[in-house]
Amino acid sequence: MKKIFALALLLFPLAALSAEVQTVSSLEFYNTVYRGIDEFYYVPSGKASLSFRAPRSSNVYGHTELEFYPMDLYGGNPADVPVLDVKRAYVRARFPGFRMTLGKTRLAWGQGSVFNAGDILFGSLNPVLDLTQSELRSDTAWLTSVNVPLGNFSFVEAVILPPAFVMGEDKDGNTTVSAEGLDKTSIGGRFYFLAGGIKFEGGYLYKGQNTVDEGVVGHRPYISLQGNIGPDWYLSSSLAIPTEKQRADNPTLADWKESWIISLGLFHMQEINRNNTLNMRLETLFLPYQNWENQGTMDAVYGFYLYPELSWVTGSGTYYSLQSVISPLDASAMITGGAGWNIFQGFYLIAYATFMVGDDAATFAWDRSDVWDTDIMGDTVNGMSFMAGIRYTF
């Protein structure tokens, strides 16, 4: 904890050295009531973030974002969970003929809000996620990318992601840190162009190590399309193909057909009475060679999932949302309804209710006692939770 305060004391004077640096602080505090195994529980929670952004210029841009997690609110051991995370720390520079990004950030490959088969860098596919978050997919990674524009609406991009360091112990029990070999590095590229009103995107990543998501190490090609037919539509597809060496070392690795993923989405924004906006989104995820019948287990991977979303934004600063991830093949769903009020500038009152609908062996089971880790919360979240609190950005 002393290191965190020392870092904060260091960053504030540095930010003050330039009046042009934009410093943004975001605070979130919530009160949550959830159904446990045998009764209801009350848990406070929250987090804070500091963001330092360089002034926008035509040639260089920098951004650092730190997130703080006050684990003491849960009564857990802060040593077990990091209380400070470097969410972003990168520099983007424009050179004659190309652009370069170095640091920890996120590259938006493919198309999709919840289901994006084209996101071969971060794997935006897991149907079990927290729908109360302002960013549903926000993973970042240390990387270096080079983007070469080919026209107003076309470019090629190359990316390299270093392997993670390996933590270990020496003979005296002291913690050691060592680097992985070059073969653990992930490297790839993509192309992007516009033709006939349709955006075409495709690429490839050799995934050398599980540093970003937990998918198969090996070859990952993808393709993505985006257009408009009234609503915006987007389609992505990808594969994860293990190398021959990996197959020899681990014969249980899935055949490439089982890794085939297709995501399809529709999005439409409808303005009503000039002051109100209705946003509608529908995304689907297909895994053609996975299970198409109910397997009777929570961890089964099925061939079809749905994500419908409706949100209503008013001119008075209020909004209402209804989101759900649905697993039709085992008849289960996670449903989240929310409301917010921008009562003051940058200050939101927020409330969410989440319900799991499904039997005990479904993806979104009402009783999940065999799934969730109870060490932090003290009990298992079962079936429903209610959260109310504030978000303040200044």
Side-chain angles (χ1 to χ4, degrees):
M1 187 64 70
K2 292 181 179 179
K3 293 181 179 179
I4 296 174
F5 285 115
L7 179 60
L9 291 173
L10 175 64
L11 288 173
F12 278 114
L14 289 176
L17 290 177
S18 173
E20 295 182 342
V21 172
Q22 180 185 12
T23 304
V24 177
S25 178
S26 179
L27 303 175
E28 301 182 21
F29 301 108
Y30 303 110
N31 294 282
T32 301
V33 175
Y34 67 92
R35 175 178 173 265
I37 295 176
D38 52 3
E39 60 181 306
F40 280 85
Y41 294 84
Y42 161 70
V43 174
S45 62
K47 68 178 181 180
S49 67
L50 283 173
S51 177
F52 304 92
R53 299 174 184 264
R56 290 281 183 180
S57 75
S58 59
N59 294 322
V60 65
Y61 173 72
H63 182 193
T64 300
E65 182 179 351
L66 307 175
E67 286 191 345
F68 302 83
Y69 298 88
M71 293 307 299
D72 57 309
L73 288 175
Y74 300 120
N77 182 2
D80 294 337
V81 180
V83 296
L84 172 63
D85 177 43
V86 180
K87 185 70 174 181
R88 290 178 176 85
Y90 68 91
V91 174
R92 182 177 296 128
R94 185 197 302 268
F95 298 92
F98 70 97
R99 303 166 185 171
M100 177 177 288
T101 300
L102 299 95
K104 189 176 185 182
T105 185
R106 181 179 180 88
L107 295 181
W109 287 22
Q111 301 291 332
S113 175
V114 168
F115 297 135
N116 180 3
D119 186 8
I120 57 177
L121 294 177
F122 297 95
S124 300
L125 299 171
N126 188 351
V128 182
L129 72 165
D130 186 355
L131 297 179
T132 67
Q133 296 297 307
S134 55
E135 289 185 271
L136 297 180
R137 305 291 190 186
S138 60
D139 293 334
T140 58
W142 294 99
L143 57 86
T144 297
S145 71
V146 175
N147 184 295
V148 181
L150 302 178
N152 292 332
F153 301 101
S154 62
F155 62 83
V156 293
E157 184 176 60
V159 65
I160 183 169
L161 296 91
F165 287 97
V166 178
M167 305 292 291
E169 291 186 358
D170 60 19
K171 62 181 180 180
D172 298 322
N174 300 316
T175 300
T176 61
V177 179
S178 59
E180 285 278 25
L182 187 61
D183 61 321
K184 302 296 185 180
T185 298
S186 297
I187 186 169
R190 64 167 171 161
F191 64 85
Y192 183 99
F193 66 92
L194 178 66
I198 297 177
K199 298 176 183 177
F200 293 85
E201 179 185 347
Y204 164 85
L205 179 75
Y206 173 75
K207 184 177 175 60
Q209 189 185 61
N210 289 322
T211 56
V212 181
D213 71 349
E214 298 179 355
V216 173
V217 172
H219 309 285
R220 293 191 169 195
Y222 84 98
I223 189 169
S224 183
L225 308 175
Q226 181 183 9
N228 183 279
I229 52 174
D232 294 332
W233 62 269
Y234 41 95
L235 171 69
S236 298
S237 183
S238 64
L239 295 171
I241 308 170
T243 64
E244 292 298 327
K245 181 179 183 304
Q246 291 158 353
R247 287 181 181 276
D249 295 340
N250 185 2
T252 63
L253 280 176
D255 183 78
W256 69 267
K257 291 189 298 184
E258 297 184 19
S259 73
W260 185 22
I261 303 168
I262 303 168
S263 61
L264 172 65
L266 296 170
F267 175 77
H268 183 64
M269 179 184 298
Q270 181 66 50
E271 184 177 312
I272 301 174
N273 299 330
R274 296 186 179 180
N275 294 319
N276 303 309
T277 303
L278 176 64
N279 299 315
M280 298 169 283
R281 186 186 299 273
L282 176 64
E283 295 186 356
T284 61
L285 180 67
F286 296 93
L287 299 91
Y289 288 92
Q290 293 294 339
N291 299 299
W292 287 86
E293 295 181 356
N294 192 345
Q295 299 298 300
T297 177
M298 290 183 186
D299 58 359
V301 179
Y302 291 102
F304 180 50
Y305 299 93
L306 282 168
Y307 172 73
E309 174 189 333
L310 288 174
S311 65
W312 177 270
V313 182
T314 72
S316 60
T318 59
Y319 71 86
Y320 307 90
S321 64
L322 181 63
Q323 304 160 271
S324 180
V325 181
I326 304 171
S327 177
L329 296 175
D330 64 358
S332 67
M334 175 173 58
I335 303 170
T336 298
W341 181 20
N342 184 196
I343 185 171
F344 304 119
Q345 183 176 0
F347 181 84
Y348 286 83
L349 293 176
I350 294 173
Y352 284 100
T354 297
F355 299 90
M356 300 288 186
V357 180
D359 61 34
D360 294 351
T363 302
F364 302 106
W366 174 258
D367 288 308
R368 305 180 63 81
S369 57
D370 294 333
V371 176
W372 297 110
D373 184 359
T374 63
D375 291 340
I376 294 178
M377 299 293 283
D379 205 282
T380 299
V381 178
N382 276 273
M384 68 173 71
S385 66
F386 305 92
M387 182 182 79
I390 61 122
R391 288 177 184 162
Y392 181 40
T393 301
F394 59 95

